[in-house]
Structures are given as structure tokens and as C-alpha cells.
Amino acid sequence: MKQLNGPPTVFYEPNFISEEEEKRLVESIYAAPKPKWQQLSRRRLQNWGGLPHPKGMIAESIPDWLMKYVSLLNNLHLFGDKKANHVLVNEYLPGQGIMPHTDGPLFHPVITTISLGSHTVLNFYDRLDSDEVDAEDSQLSSVKQRQKKLSVLLEPRSLLVVKDDLYHKHLHSIDELKSDEISELIVNPGDRQLGEVMHRQTRISLTIRHVPRTSKVPIFLSRKS
Ligand SMILES: O=C(O)CCC(=O)C(=O)O
Ligand SMILES: [Fe+2]
């Protein structure tokens, strides 16, 4: 996997999956029952594998069409001696994004992301001493004063792996834009020219992680479903 021209703890692999695989994944995600979607104010998401919670995640099995990719990453030993057991699906329409945040203590500090349908640009910021890191999925309001440190162009079908320092000491975000301009901050522009503008389409991301605290469903609960 390619190491980027930035901190040593970010890896990027273009065309990690094929167009056919991308198409199948998108179809399966949109075939999920409607209540599987959780609508946020400016994007929507699906949780697979359970709902991460400070008290532990009640593990649910991940369907085969998705488990295929979880196993693929596990077999690459990307999570050290851990195995990924959770997939967060985020859908972003053009103009949608995610505020600067850290993924917090609910996850083992390796984030792997497969992008589908569109490119986007993921930004990283230094964490300030005043930032509360231990807050769950801490969203920070003082965004405006924050300087972007680097950005990564995430192309459709690519895999991104972020870990260790970049996980703990930085925040990440996606700007709420309909298009992105190739800037000097992008560490992997490929053969794109500075100033080139890329228009976003609907993007779906699969964030595949290991949730350390899990518990089994109590028998009386599993019977009810
Ligand atoms: O969509 C992405 O690539 C990033 C998602 C993310 O940062 C998150 O859900 O915590
Ligand atoms: Fe995140």
C-alpha cells in the first residue's frame, strides 16, 4: 500500500475494489430496509455490526455482501491482532460533509475507509491541547480558527487507512462543498493540476473499524426479534 507524502500513518490505495464491486456494494446499501438509515441533519448513515456504545456494542452479524470486505481487510492484518467488527456507512450528497472530529475511544485507533460513487477531500487538523479528545466522537465548534494541516483526495473505489498519530493527534473533516479544488494541501493529487476543480456526486463511504467492547445479545432479547 502506498504511503503518502505526509505523516507516516496514512496509507492510500486507489482502485482497491473494482467498478463491478463498487456497483454491487452501492446496490446492497440502497437495498437495505429504510429503518436501517439513520438520518442526521445533513447526511445519513447505516451501522452494521451493532451500535457502538461506551458500555459495549451488542454485536450483530454483518451480512455476507459486506463481510466480504471486512474479511479482506482483516486478512491484510490492518488492525494488528484485532479484527474489524463494525462498518459505518455514510452517504454524502454534493454539498454535504462532516465537521472536524476525532473518532474517539469507542474504536481501536485504525480507521479504514472505502469510498464509493464519488471522490471527496478529507482534511486533517492538528488537535489543540484544549480539545477534549476523550469525548465520544467529539465535534469541535472552534472550527473557523483551525488551520488545515493536510488533505487527502479520496477517489471512488479507493481504500484509506489512518492510524496511530494521525488518529490520536488530529481531527478530520469533509467540507460541505459541491466541488473541490486541487490545492497544495492535497498530498496525493496524482497527475491533477493545481487549481483543477472536481465536482462531487453522491458519495458513500464504508468506515470499517474494530470496536473493542462488545457483548453478546442476551437470549431473551434475541428471541424477540
Ligand atoms: O466519510 C468519510 O470518509 C469519513 C467518515 C468519518 O470520519 C466518520 O464517520 O467518523
Ligand atoms: Fe471520523
Side-chain angles (χ1 to χ4, degrees), residues 1-12 78 109-112 124 149-150 152 160-170 187:
M1 202 171 306
K2 234 194 270 169
Q3 195 164 325
L4 292 177
N5 206 359
T9 51
V10 53
F11 299 87
Y12 179 76
L78 292 176
V110 179
I111 317 180
T112 63
F124 290 91
K149 189 184 170 85
L150 64 102
V152 182
L160 175 80
V161 182
V162 172
K163 51 188 204 172
D164 305 328
D165 262 25
L166 201 56
Y167 185 96
H168 291 298
K169 299 199 181 142
H170 297 79
V187 293

Side-chain angles (χ1 to χ4, degrees), residues 25-45:
L25 273 169
V26 170
E27 280 168 5
S28 302
I29 288 160
Y30 285 126
K34 223 165 173 214
K36 191 76 196 166
W37 286 106
Q38 185 185 339
Q39 183 69 52
L40 307 184
S41 59
R42 264 128 77 199
R43 82 193 137 86
R44 53 179 192 160
L45 51 84

Side-chain angles (χ1 to χ4, degrees), residues 88 90 92 98 101 103 113 154 172 174 203 205 207 209:
L88 181 67
N90 276 294
Y92 304 86
I98 187 165
H101 67 282
D103 286 6
T113 307
L154 303 183
H172 53 276
I174 296 169
R203 170 173 177 267
S205 63
T207 302
R209 291 176 283 203

Side-chain angles (χ1 to χ4, degrees), residues 47-98:
N47 273 278
W48 294 97
L51 223 45
H53 187 276
K55 289 196 175 143
M57 175 174 82
I58 297 173
E60 293 167 11
S61 64
I62 295 176
D64 288 347
W65 57 266
L66 193 52
M67 196 59 207
K68 179 180 161 189
Y69 298 93
V70 175
S71 302
L72 190 64
L73 300 183
N74 284 337
N75 293 336
L76 290 171
H77 304 289
L78 292 176
F79 307 93
D81 59 349
K82 310 280 193 291
K83 298 257 182 259
N85 55 358
H86 186 261
V87 183
L88 181 67
V89 172
N90 276 294
E91 182 203 54
Y92 304 86
L93 306 178
Q96 295 184 331
I98 187 165

Side-chain angles (χ1 to χ4, degrees), residues 111-129:
I111 317 180
T112 63
T113 307
I114 298 174
S115 294
L116 310 170
S118 175
H119 84 279
T120 198
V121 172
L122 185 69
N123 308 304
F124 290 91
Y125 308 77
D126 277 328
R127 188 166 69 74
L128 308 175
D129 286 344

